[in-house]
């Protein structure tokens, strides 16, 4: 069991880098509980031809493996990738469902050695045109549901099993940039209009504004809902180095602002197994892990852990099943970090 | 002792132990062993033995002290034991603030020797009756003498692995005062009942031989242990120097006051305090004052420089606050001890994790210890754990993040997680560093994804309409052919998109740069300008409406262009169908409007509507020779092909309806067409 040579080798390296031929933006951890992690990585090329690769990471050998069969073309860069939240349960054991957003919401079936497109979901009833999607979120409590956010100010809730639109809500005054589920029927979204709004599908007429950016019309770019404690969510503003932590019980005022990044923030992720920890990454090439104190000190909150990457970190994902792994993307590298 | 229960409930655990510690210290030192532990019945968990108190008498790796004065060995030993206890509490509390609260003299884990680690980890153990060495001792009521403890079966001695790391070879347990006293030594000592007897005697004898330099450390001590004597003391102001002080307890300022003469009664007179309090404090102060130990406390000798009166005040206050803090401490203390059944897993993990940051096999092993299964625990050498502050920081953070206080809920990734964390403890940078880093475009990729990728898709809209009538409209499409189709259509869309941008660029006069963003930006500016002008003209038109009615027969040139054209093109196609429909609606109604509302003094009326590549031209103007041909010429020069022409001349007014189409990609704006036509018409 003890292999000292290997262990000493391991110790010298505490992160694992995958070099991609192209710049990376979208990224997703597979939720199937294999020993071998699968990570979907989407290229970011400002042209039509883009790629999504499924990369395997073996925890035993600590190596990445790419397979040309586990790769597909994507029209323009995917704005988000996400695996089916319940992993292999819903499908045959060896396959997994991956969703991507861009012009449409697409579903792909990732098998052992191949990938098949499964569906293309277009929400426009009147024409074939569907406004491009900025993001989406898969409801892990009800995996039939995917919510998409679009630049046409709407959020669309899909029943992906039937491939039909459940409901479409005009959510904001401007482009919607991100969406996140809280419960089965509750989601929140952020928008260029600078607001965070919560929607309850049981009452579609109303939404609750829980936060508005201090300068009007400063767009909010990303949103992350604390899955361990649904009272909390986090958002980031355009051109800001702050992570804004919101408590939905006290709308309007953030409960905390995490401002130790030295440049703008690009991505945030709550810890999958702890309600008090959040990771953020930004242009200062740092990924910081924060622990939210019960009472904030006068000088703000300091992060507890930090990692410095080679350049601006554009993406951050915290593995839900292996919570000791965080993946970041910068330039054309994807890195797995051990927490 | 029972009568103190009501008042001193919290103190019961702590204070007797304080006394107990001295007894243990005396006992263990008298036989020169490494440590003594008193396992007492937990008040939280019925029938379970938990850490009561202990005294460490073994090797010491690093001694930290802030005391200016030398302490004698007794005091150093007690201090060390107390520090170990504090360290344990701070570790087990798991609160990140703990570190900050700990005094500077406190130990950090890296200061500990192997044996001290053993002693420290012991604090996390609890034993059910019959379980482990102390448990069996209690159950049987008989002493147990264990030689070769480090090789003992884990069923007999659950800490054998730990003992091995600390080289503890002999462990002895015997029942005492309702609990169990455990003694350990690094040497092999064969069973010798006289040693146990010796220890027991020294417990009984204690404290008489030890009292030379001692003072009472706390009134509660007296309360609980020597209640009768306390009364005696208070009444007669006779100091009984019974106990060792705990040098690290918060009483030191008062202890330092021994240089002052008796002053009990003035103090009592001055301070109007409730009787109980005074009694306690008096006993306290009194004892302090009388105790003659030159070595005692004296950490901070501030009291020495103070006047008698102010000292007294100090003493009183100090005494009061000290009593409170005692209780707080005791609370924590007992929480800790009695909660240890639940938290011990976590604690042992905290001890062990830092070396291999994420729960290493060692961590699990120690948990297993707890679960009295040691079979596979081969050679963990606890003592080799070298805990740095950073590591400690980590382990706390990590255990909090993962909630991994129990090995069973640890995720699957854990077992292979032998590598170190990629993250380092965050450190505040210097002032300069704290400035924001300036980077080209902040959030570059994120913005591109959110703002520009959408545009990329948008560009392909028109194309998709042309190519995929109906097909893409399916909500759910199956398989490859759609995908392939889509790939092709997307490609064409993009080409078309670029083409349209070129057209747009040629249309807007003010465009200076080539990139799409500035083309759109300039177009927006241009459009706003046009809209402003339209508004201006419309207000003019309202004013002139009256006159216009009077002069209806004079054909006018209405300065109108169909602004829908430009709008369509730059609107990112958000709702193109609707816009387009609007455009048509307007075009249909406008001819009438224009006939009615023509502008004074103008000679002609020209309407140009552009829909896609179709251009509809309507002209009403005064007839002249060759006018019709000039118009057709102009139209042709604008790269327009006329495919339908209607014309008539009534009362010297020429009416022309032209349906034309653009040749190729060069597209002139409605405004340009109109201007050109007006030029021709007005050219007499």
């Amino acid at each position: 069991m003890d292999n000292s040579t290997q262990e000493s080798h391991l110790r010298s390296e505490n992160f694992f880098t995958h070099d991609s031929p192209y710049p990376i933006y979208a990224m997703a951890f597979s939720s199937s509980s294999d020993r071998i992690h699968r990570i979907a990585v989407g290229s970011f090329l400002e042209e039509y031809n883009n790629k999504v690769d499924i990369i395997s990471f073996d925890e035993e050998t600590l190596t990445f493996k790419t397979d040309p069969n586990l790769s597909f073309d994507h029209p323009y860069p995917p704005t988000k990738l996400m695996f089916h939240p319940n992993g292999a349960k819903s499908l045959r054991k060896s396959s997994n469902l991956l969703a991507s957003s861009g012009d449409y919401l697409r579903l792909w079936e990732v098998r052992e050695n191949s990938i098949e497109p499964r569906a293309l979901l277009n929400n426009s009833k009147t024409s074939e045109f569907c406004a491009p999607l900025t993001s989406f979120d898969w409801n892990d409590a009800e995996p039939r549901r995917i919510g998409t956010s679009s630049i046409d100010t709407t959020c669309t809730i899909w029943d992906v099993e039937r491939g039909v639109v459940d409901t479409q809500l005009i959510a904001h005054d401007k482009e919607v940039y991100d969406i996140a589920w809280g419960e089965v029927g509750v989601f929140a979204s952020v928008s260029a209009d600078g607001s965070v709004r919560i929607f309850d599908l049981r009452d579609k007429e109303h939404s609750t504004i829980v936060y508005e950016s201090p300068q009007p019309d400063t767009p909010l770019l990303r949103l992350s809902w604390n899955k361990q404690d649904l009272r909390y969510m986090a958002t980031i503003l355009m051109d800001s180095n702050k992570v804004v932590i919101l408590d939905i019980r006290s709308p309007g005022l953030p409960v905390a602002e995490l401002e130790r990044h030295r440049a703008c923030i690009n991505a945030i992720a709550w810890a999958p197994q702890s309600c008090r920890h959040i990771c953020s990454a930004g242009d200062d090439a740092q990924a910081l892990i924060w622990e939210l104190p019960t009472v904030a000190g006068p000088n703000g909150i300091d992060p507890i852990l930090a990692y410095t990457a080679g350049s601006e970190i554009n993406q951050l994902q915290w593995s839900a099943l292996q919570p000791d792994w965080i993946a970041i993307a910068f330039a054309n590298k994807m890195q797995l970090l051990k927490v | 002792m029972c009568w103190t229960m009501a008042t001193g409930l919290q103190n019961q655990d702590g204070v007797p132990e304080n006394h107990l510690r001295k007894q243990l210290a005396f006992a263990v030192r008298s036989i020169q062993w490494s440590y003594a532990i008193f396992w007492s019945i937990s008040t939280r968990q019925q029938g379970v033995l938990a850490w009561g108190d202990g005294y460490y008498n073994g090797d010491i790796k690093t001694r930290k002290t802030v005391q200016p004065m030398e302490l004698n060995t007794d005091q150093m030993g007690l201090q060390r034991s107390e520090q170990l206890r504090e360290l344990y509490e701070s570790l087990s509390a798991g609160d990140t603030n703990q570190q900050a609260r700990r005094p500077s003299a406190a130990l950090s884990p890296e200061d500990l020797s192997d044996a001290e680690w053993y002693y420290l980890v012991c604090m996390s153990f609890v034993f059910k009756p019959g379980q482990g060495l102390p448990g069996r001792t209690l159950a049987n009521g008989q002493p147990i003498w264990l030689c070769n403890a480090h090789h003992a079966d884990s069923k007999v001695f659950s800490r054998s692995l730990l003992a091995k790391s600390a080289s503890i070879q002999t462990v002895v347990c015997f029942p005492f005062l309702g609990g169990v006293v455990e003694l350990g030594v690094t040497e092999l000592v064969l069973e010798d009942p006289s040693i146990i007897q010796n220890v027991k005697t020294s417990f009984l004898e204690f404290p008489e031989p030890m009292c030379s330099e001692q003072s009472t450390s706390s009134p509660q001590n007296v309360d609980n242990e020597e209640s009768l004597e306390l009364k005696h003391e208070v009444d007669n102001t006779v100091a009984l120097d019974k106990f060792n002080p705990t040098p690290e307890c918060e009483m030191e300022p008062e202890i330092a006051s021994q240089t002052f003469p008796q002053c009990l009664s003035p103090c009592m007179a001055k301070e109007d305090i409730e009787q109980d309090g005074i009694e306690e404090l008096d006993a306290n102060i009194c004892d302090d004052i009388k105790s003659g130990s030159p070595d005692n406390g004296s950490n901070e000798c501030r009291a020495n420089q103070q006047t008698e009166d102010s000292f007294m005040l100090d003493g009183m206050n100090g005494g009061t606050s000290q009593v409170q803090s005692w209780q707080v401490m005791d609370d924590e203390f007992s929480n800790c001890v009695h909660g240890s059944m639940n938290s011990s897993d976590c604690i042992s993990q905290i001890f062990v994790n830092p070396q291999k940051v994420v729960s290493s096999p060692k961590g699990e092993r120690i948990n297993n210890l707890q679960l009295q299964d040691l079979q596979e625990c081969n050679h963990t050498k606890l003592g080799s754990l070298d805990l740095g502050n950073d590591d400690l920081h980590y382990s706390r953070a990590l255990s909090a993040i993962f909630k991994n206080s129990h090995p069973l809920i640890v995720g699957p990734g854990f077992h292979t997680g032998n590598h170190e964390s990629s993250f380092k403890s965050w450190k505040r940078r210097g002032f300069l560093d704290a400035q924001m880093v300036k980077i080209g475009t902040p959030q570059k990729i994120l913005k591109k994804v959110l703002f520009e990728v959408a545009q990329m898709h948008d560009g392909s809209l028109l194309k998709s309409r042309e190519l995929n009538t109906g097909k893409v409209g399916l909500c759910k499409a199956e398989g490859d052919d759609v995908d392939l189709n889509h790939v092709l259509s997307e490609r064409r869309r993009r080409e078309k998109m670029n083409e349209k941008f070129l057209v747009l660029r040629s249309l807007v006069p003010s465009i200076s740069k080539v990139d799409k963003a500035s083309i759109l930006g300039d177009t927006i500016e241009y459009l706003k300008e046009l809209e402003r002008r339209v508004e201006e003209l419309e207000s003019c038109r309202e004013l002139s409406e009256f006159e216009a009615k009077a002069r209806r027969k004079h054909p006018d040139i209405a300065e109108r262009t169909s602004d829908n054209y430009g709008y369509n093109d730059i609107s990112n196609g958000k709702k193109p169908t609707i816009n387009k429909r609007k455009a048509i609606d307007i075009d249909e109604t406008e001819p009438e409007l224009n006939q009615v509302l023509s502008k004074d003094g103008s000679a002609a009326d020209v309407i140009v509507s552009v829909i896609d590549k179709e251009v509809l031209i309507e002209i009403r103007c005064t007839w002249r020779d060759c006018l019709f041909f000039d118009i057709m010429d102009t139209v042709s020069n604008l790269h327009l092909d006329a495919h339908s022409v209607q014309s008539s001349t009534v009362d010297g007014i020429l009416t022309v309806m032209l349906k034309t189409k653009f040749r190729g990609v060069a597209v002139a704006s409605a405004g340009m067409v109109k201007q050109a036509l007006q030029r021709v018409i007005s050219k007499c």
Side-chain angles (χ1 to χ4, degrees):
Chain A
M1 186 181 146
D2 274 315
N3 185 337
S4 57
T5 51
Q6 194 189 16
E7 233 172 79
S8 63
H9 162 70
L10 298 183
R11 251 185 237 174
S12 63
E13 230 182 294
N14 50 17
F15 55 84
F16 307 95
T17 311
H18 167 73
D19 281 286
S20 166
Y22 6 77
I24 293 171
Y25 180 71
M27 200 162 65
F29 272 105
S30 160
S31 43
S32 63
S33 50
D34 274 345
R35 182 179 49 80
I36 295 174
H37 313 318
R38 278 180 162 180
I39 302 148
V41 171
S43 66
F44 185 86
L45 301 167
E46 290 173 80
E47 56 175 57
Y48 181 79
N49 295 309
N50 274 263
K51 283 255 180 203
V52 175
D53 297 325
I54 311 290
I55 295 159
S56 312
F57 179 70
D58 190 327
E59 268 205 35
E60 212 123 278
T61 62
L62 299 168
T63 47
F64 289 101
K65 209 179 85 205
T66 52
D67 180 348
N69 292 322
L70 292 179
S71 176
F72 58 88
D73 289 321
H74 200 273
Y76 299 105
T79 53
K80 180 156 177 174
L81 292 169
M82 203 171 169
F83 279 97
H84 190 289
N86 287 353
K89 275 177 216 160
S90 64
L91 284 163
R92 275 166 292 145
K93 202 180 167 350
S94 56
S95 70
N96 201 346
L97 218 50
L98 175 71
S100 71
S101 61
D103 49 353
Y104 307 106
L105 180 66
R106 292 154 199 266
L107 297 179
W108 313 82
E109 190 179 333
V110 181
R111 304 204 183 113
E112 200 61 48
N113 292 309
S114 64
I115 296 176
E116 299 291 335
R118 287 260 302 195
L120 187 152
L121 304 163
N122 176 4
N123 68 359
S124 173
K125 291 169 189 120
T126 50
S127 79
E128 62 278 14
F129 166 64
C130 155
L133 305 173
T134 51
S135 184
F136 68 97
D137 194 22
W138 210 320
N139 192 324
D140 49 5
E142 175 50 276
R144 289 153 53 109
R145 277 191 181 146
I146 289 184
T148 59
S149 59
S150 166
I151 59 162
D152 69 358
T153 75
T154 66
C155 287
T156 307
I157 310 303
W158 289 90
D159 181 335
V160 289
E161 268 172 33
R162 292 192 296 140
V164 295
V165 174
D166 240 7
T167 186
Q168 186 171 28
L169 300 163
I170 294 174
H172 286 270
D173 303 333
K174 291 189 180 170
E175 291 91 329
V176 191
Y177 287 141
D178 205 358
I179 178 169
W181 288 101
E183 300 163 36
V184 174
V186 179
F187 69 90
S189 57
V190 290
S191 155
D193 66 13
S195 65
V196 179
R197 301 185 191 200
I198 297 181
F199 298 84
D200 191 330
L201 293 178
R202 289 162 293 192
D203 178 14
K204 292 171 194 163
E205 298 303 307
H206 301 102
S207 67
T208 314
I209 295 182
V210 289
Y211 178 71
E212 277 178 301
S213 50
Q215 280 85 36
D217 291 339
T218 303
L220 302 175
L221 302 185
R222 285 291 183 236
L223 177 71
S224 180
W225 203 326
N226 187 335
K227 292 287 196 297
Q228 291 293 308
D229 186 342
L230 289 172
R231 292 173 302 179
Y232 298 108
M233 52 175 78
T235 185
I236 52 174
L237 288 80
M238 189 168 85
D239 298 331
S240 158
N241 71 330
K242 275 189 231 172
V243 180
V244 178
I245 309 287
L246 308 171
D247 183 337
I248 61 172
R249 294 167 303 175
S250 57
L253 265 182
V255 287
E257 293 189 333
L258 313 175
E259 331 177 49
R260 294 288 184 265
H261 273 286
R262 294 182 300 133
C264 294
I265 296 174
N266 291 318
I268 42 175
W270 288 95
Q273 293 204 346
S274 158
C275 61
R276 286 172 63 209
H277 293 86
I278 187 167
C279 187
S280 59
D283 285 342
D284 57 359
Q286 287 205 305
L288 302 179
I289 297 182
W290 312 75
E291 180 176 77
L292 301 181
T294 36
V295 179
N299 301 321
I301 298 163
D302 286 336
I304 49 172
L305 301 173
Y307 174 78
T308 307
S311 64
E312 295 94 323
I313 302 174
N314 297 314
Q315 182 65 278
L316 168 75
Q317 296 287 322
W318 200 327
S319 173
L321 271 175
Q322 289 89 18
D324 46 340
W325 288 109
I326 286 178
I328 56 169
F330 57 96
N332 61 349
K333 289 180 170 55
M334 187 265 287
Q335 241 173 24
L336 275 181
L337 309 178
K338 191 93 184 166
V339 180
Chain B
M1 246 168 96
C2 287
W3 65 274
T4 59
M5 284 290 280
T7 52
L9 203 57
Q10 295 104 314
N11 299 324
Q12 280 232 317
D13 289 321
V15 178
E17 276 153 13
N18 211 11
H19 171 63
L20 202 64
R21 182 176 300 163
K22 286 151 213 155
Q23 287 182 305
L24 291 169
F26 181 64
V28 76
R29 278 204 304 262
S30 70
I31 56 169
Q32 299 274 305
W33 280 32
S34 299
Y35 71 90
I37 297 170
F38 180 68
W39 299 99
S40 64
I41 299 289
S42 163
T43 53
R44 296 284 166 89
Q45 277 180 287
Q46 275 303 313
V48 167
L49 281 176
W51 182 273
D53 206 341
Y55 180 82
Y56 180 76
N57 195 41
D59 294 337
I60 283 172
K61 188 173 156 196
T62 317
R63 188 175 291 285
K64 278 193 181 176
T65 178
V66 292
Q67 270 88 354
M69 296 171 73
E70 278 289 307
L71 295 172
N72 66 23
T73 47
D74 299 352
Q75 287 160 335
M76 288 204 319
L78 286 166
Q79 186 190 36
R80 190 68 177 186
S81 299
E82 179 64 23
Q83 283 176 344
L84 287 169
R85 185 68 203 171
E86 279 170 4
L87 175 63
Y88 169 75
E89 279 170 22
S90 75
L91 288 171
S92 57
D95 188 338
T96 41
N97 296 330
Q98 281 280 347
Q99 203 142 14
R101 270 195 292 168
R102 270 159 53 197
S104 56
L107 292 171
S108 28
E110 72 264 30
D111 301 330
L112 303 191
S113 68
D114 292 357
E116 282 176 303
W117 264 113
Y118 170 81
Y119 178 81
L120 194 78
V121 174
C122 282
M123 296 180 195
S124 68
F125 279 78
V126 290
F127 301 96
K128 289 184 190 137
Q131 183 196 37
L133 224 46
R136 279 189 294 128
T137 307
L138 187 71
N140 303 334
Q142 292 295 318
I144 294 178
W145 192 292
L146 182 70
C147 298
N148 287 321
H150 54 300
H151 294 309
D153 189 331
S154 63
K155 291 203 174 74
V156 176
F157 182 51
S158 54
R159 288 163 290 161
S160 66
L161 187 69
L162 283 162
K164 185 169 182 175
S165 72
S167 317
I168 300 286
Q169 293 199 32
T170 310
V171 177
V172 175
C173 283
F174 61 88
F176 187 75
L177 285 178
V180 171
V181 171
E182 179 186 321
L183 300 161
V185 68
T186 49
E187 277 118 54
L188 182 66
V189 180
L190 293 176
E191 181 156 1
D192 180 0
S194 67
I195 291 183
I196 296 181
Q197 199 48 50
N198 186 10
V199 170
K200 278 186 174 167
T201 332
S202 59
F203 265 103
L204 293 173
E205 282 172 2
F206 185 82
E208 246 63 58
M210 292 295 293
C211 63
S212 58
E213 49 339 7
Q214 315 306 337
S215 74
T216 312
S217 65
S218 149
Q220 281 88 354
N221 247 340
V222 182
D223 250 3
N224 291 328
E225 298 297 316
E226 316 266 341
S227 51
L228 290 174
E229 279 158 320
L230 168 67
K231 288 290 168 202
H232 190 65
E233 279 172 39
V234 171
D235 293 339
N236 303 317
T237 61
V238 171
L240 294 176
D241 300 329
K242 290 272 177 183
F243 302 110
N244 278 314
T246 45
E248 53 288 318
C249 86
E250 286 137 293
M251 290 196 53
E252 280 150 2
E254 290 141 69
I255 294 168
S257 71
Q258 60 236 324
T259 51
F260 286 90
Q262 287 186 27
C263 45
L264 184 60
S265 18
C267 157
M268 285 176 79
K270 270 180 209 162
E271 300 296 329
D272 187 18
I273 305 177
E274 183 199 337
Q275 194 59 35
D276 286 355
I278 290 174
E279 267 178 24
E280 283 184 357
L281 291 165
D282 286 346
N284 190 359
I285 292 160
C286 167
D287 286 347
D288 292 340
I289 290 165
K290 299 219 175 149
S291 65
S293 161
D295 302 321
N296 266 356
S298 60
N299 296 338
E300 298 145 75
C301 296
R302 61 184 168 97
N304 289 335
Q305 285 111 46
Q306 289 170 334
T307 66
E308 192 177 306
D309 277 0
S310 71
F311 161 70
M312 287 314 300
L313 220 71
D314 245 16
M316 297 292 281
N317 297 339
T320 317
S321 65
Q322 185 263 334
V323 169
Q324 285 162 352
S325 58
W326 247 136
Q327 289 171 345
V328 171
M329 243 178 85
D330 289 342
D331 268 350
E332 284 172 5
F333 179 73
S334 48
N335 279 340
C336 196
V337 171
H338 304 305
S340 61
M341 184 62 139
N342 307 323
S343 61
S344 53
D345 282 354
C346 173
I347 292 153
S348 357
Q349 220 157 4
I350 287 173
F351 293 151
V352 178
N353 278 353
Q355 195 187 23
K356 296 188 159 202
V357 165
V358 179
S359 158
S360 64
K362 285 182 187 175
E364 281 149 30
R365 278 181 203 161
I366 285 165
N367 291 321
N368 290 340
L369 268 176
Q370 208 60 24
L371 306 166
Q372 60 177 183
D373 181 17
L374 281 177
Q375 249 77 338
E376 82 280 33
C377 303
N378 305 327
H379 18 256
T380 304
K381 189 160 182 304
L382 250 188
S384 67
L385 295 184
D386 195 14
L387 304 175
N389 274 329
D390 274 5
D391 290 342
L392 205 64
H393 183 72
Y394 266 145
S395 61
R396 275 203 216 113
L398 289 173
S399 58
I401 292 172
F402 294 130
K403 295 180 177 168
N404 63 354
S405 53
H406 199 283
L408 296 179
I409 60 162
V410 164
F414 253 60
H415 302 294
T416 49
N418 275 343
H419 11 273
E420 286 177 15
S421 170
S422 320
F423 287 84
K424 293 198 170 64
S425 197
W426 186 85
K427 293 200 175 62
R428 180 179 290 275
R429 310 278 189 118
F431 176 73
L432 287 174
D433 272 351
Q435 288 170 346
M436 292 274 282
V437 177
K438 288 270 178 276
I439 290 165
T441 318
Q443 299 170 326
K444 190 171 160 202
I445 302 279
L446 179 59
K447 282 179 186 166
K448 277 187 175 168
V449 164
L450 291 177
F451 309 153
E452 288 179 29
V453 170
Q455 308 287 335
M456 298 178 195
H457 293 300
D458 256 5
S460 50
L461 292 176
L462 298 169
K463 190 73 57 96
S464 81
R465 188 172 301 127
E466 283 172 15
L467 293 172
N468 304 324
T469 32
K471 188 135 195 190
V472 186
L474 295 171
C475 265
K476 188 172 178 178
E478 286 290 335
D480 295 23
D481 62 326
V482 167
D483 191 50
L484 195 69
N485 254 345
H486 193 72
V487 168
L488 285 173
S489 72
E490 289 289 353
R491 198 163 291 159
R492 278 187 227 121
R493 284 178 189 183
R494 253 196 102 236
E495 285 160 12
K496 187 104 175 185
M497 165 90 173
N498 289 335
E499 204 175 89
K500 294 279 181 193
F501 261 103
L502 283 177
V503 173
L504 190 60
R505 194 179 147 216
S506 69
L507 287 183
V508 180
S510 56
I511 284 176
S512 48
K513 288 180 193 159
V514 207
D515 63 290
K516 289 176 183 175
S518 34
I519 290 177
L520 289 177
D522 288 342
T523 309
I524 289 165
E525 284 310 307
Y526 182 60
L527 263 175
K528 280 182 183 161
E529 169 67 16
L530 290 179
E531 272 174 2
R532 195 185 54 77
R533 280 181 62 191
V534 166
E535 214 170 284
E536 204 177 281
L537 292 170
E538 270 174 357
S539 61
C540 278
R541 195 173 59 187
E542 275 166 30
L543 280 176
S544 58
E545 204 168 317
F546 227 48
E547 294 172 76
K549 272 182 188 166
R551 306 182 184 199
R552 196 175 289 173
K553 276 180 186 169
H554 295 274
D556 296 329
I557 294 170
E559 286 270 332
R560 281 190 58 88
T561 58
S562 165
D563 54 319
N564 292 310
Y565 170 76
Y567 183 61
N568 242 350
D569 227 353
I570 63 131
S571 67
N572 301 339
K574 256 188 211 168
K575 280 152 187 167
T577 12
I578 298 164
N579 282 339
K580 200 161 292 172
R581 219 168 271 145
K582 271 185 195 156
I584 292 161
D585 291 347
I586 289 164
D587 289 339
E588 278 167 2
T589 53
E590 257 168 20
E592 282 172 35
L593 273 176
N594 277 314
Q595 278 173 355
V596 180
L597 315 166
S598 49
K599 202 176 172 185
D600 189 27
S602 299
D605 192 352
V606 180
I607 299 167
V608 180
S609 332
V610 182
I611 302 157
D612 243 352
K613 285 191 164 189
E614 291 271 340
V615 183
L616 188 71
I617 303 170
E618 290 179 60
I619 304 171
R620 273 167 54 89
C621 62
T622 324
W623 184 87
R624 66 171 166 82
D625 286 335
C626 298
L627 178 59
F628 184 71
F629 294 104
D630 286 347
I631 289 170
M632 293 310 287
D633 252 10
T634 314
V635 165
S636 176
N637 287 340
L638 288 165
H639 300 282
L640 289 166
D641 276 337
H643 53 81
S644 151
V645 183
Q646 285 182 332
S647 77
S648 60
T649 312
V650 181
D651 296 338
I653 302 293
L654 174 69
T655 312
V656 185
M657 283 267 283
L658 278 170
K659 283 181 185 167
T660 61
K661 210 175 178 179
F662 278 116
R663 277 192 304 252
V665 290
V667 181
S669 72
M672 282 166 72
V673 174
K674 190 171 159 179
Q675 268 181 357
L677 287 171
Q678 277 171 347
R679 225 176 291 131
V680 173
I681 293 162
S682 54
K683 181 172 68 183
C684 292

